[in-house]
């Protein structure tokens, strides 16, 4: 279990931002990786007024590809998992959505048929 808590605040213009809280006096060492490779440009700045740290993670271009891509955020000294950034894009997504829509249509047709049978039987 980690003493750190990371909460996403926004994703804007390719920069993921979050608020990090943890033990008083401790300085976080944040590591972000994609496909086991570290992400460069991660910024962690103290917001003393709010008693938290602000984490800014640039989303690298290589993390934007067809399918599902995951960036893992950990605290280096403890190795604790803090959060993940999941990016879903491309053709795989379109195929998955079309399959889900087809499944929903089929289920709706089953429900309509069952409802019609129920109405005709209760007349």
């Amino acid at each position: 279990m980690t003493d750190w808590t990371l909460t996403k605040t926004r994703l804007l213009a390719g920069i993921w931002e979050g608020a990090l809280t943890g033990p008083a006096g401790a300085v976080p060492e944040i590591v972000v990786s994609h496909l086991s490779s570290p992400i460069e440009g991660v910024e962690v700045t103290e917001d003393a007024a709010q008693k938290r740290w602000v984490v800014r993670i640039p989303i690298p271009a290589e993390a934007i590809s067809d399918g599902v891509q995951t960036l893992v955020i950990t605290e280096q000294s403890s190795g604790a998992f803090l959060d993940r950034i999941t990016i879903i894009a491309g053709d795989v997504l379109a195929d998955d959505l079309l399959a889900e829509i087809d499944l929903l249509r089929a289920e709706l047709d089953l429900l309509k048929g069952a409802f019609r049978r129920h109405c005709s039987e209760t007349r």
Side-chain angles (χ1 to χ4, degrees):
M1 187 71 185
T2 181
D3 293 331
W4 296 101
T5 303
L6 181 59
T7 306
K8 176 187 171 199
T9 54
R10 69 180 182 168
L11 174 62
L12 181 66
I15 305 292
W16 185 96
E17 292 184 7
L20 181 65
T21 57
V27 177
E29 299 174 47
I30 302 300
V31 176
V32 181
S33 61
H34 174 250
L35 300 175
S36 301
S37 298
I39 302 298
E40 300 296 324
V42 176
E43 298 174 11
V44 180
T45 54
E46 187 174 14
D47 182 357
Q50 298 289 324
K51 297 181 182 176
R52 66 180 184 178
W53 297 83
V54 176
V55 179
R56 293 176 47 94
I57 302 168
I59 306 297
E62 57 270 10
I64 302 172
S65 304
D66 284 344
V68 178
Q69 305 294 321
T70 304
L71 284 72
V72 179
I73 307 167
T74 57
E75 203 284 316
Q76 185 174 15
S77 62
S78 66
F81 169 82
L82 296 176
D83 204 352
R84 74 181 63 80
I85 302 168
T86 305
I87 301 167
I88 305 171
D91 294 334
V92 173
L93 177 63
D95 292 342
D96 287 348
L97 287 176
L98 289 175
E100 285 296 318
I101 289 170
D102 286 343
L103 181 59
L104 287 171
R105 283 182 181 152
E107 290 175 352
L108 182 59
D109 287 342
L110 286 172
L111 286 172
K112 287 190 319 189
F115 182 71
R116 288 181 181 139
R117 275 192 307 278
H118 171 73
C119 290
S120 67
E121 292 170 358
T122 58
R123 282 188 185 177

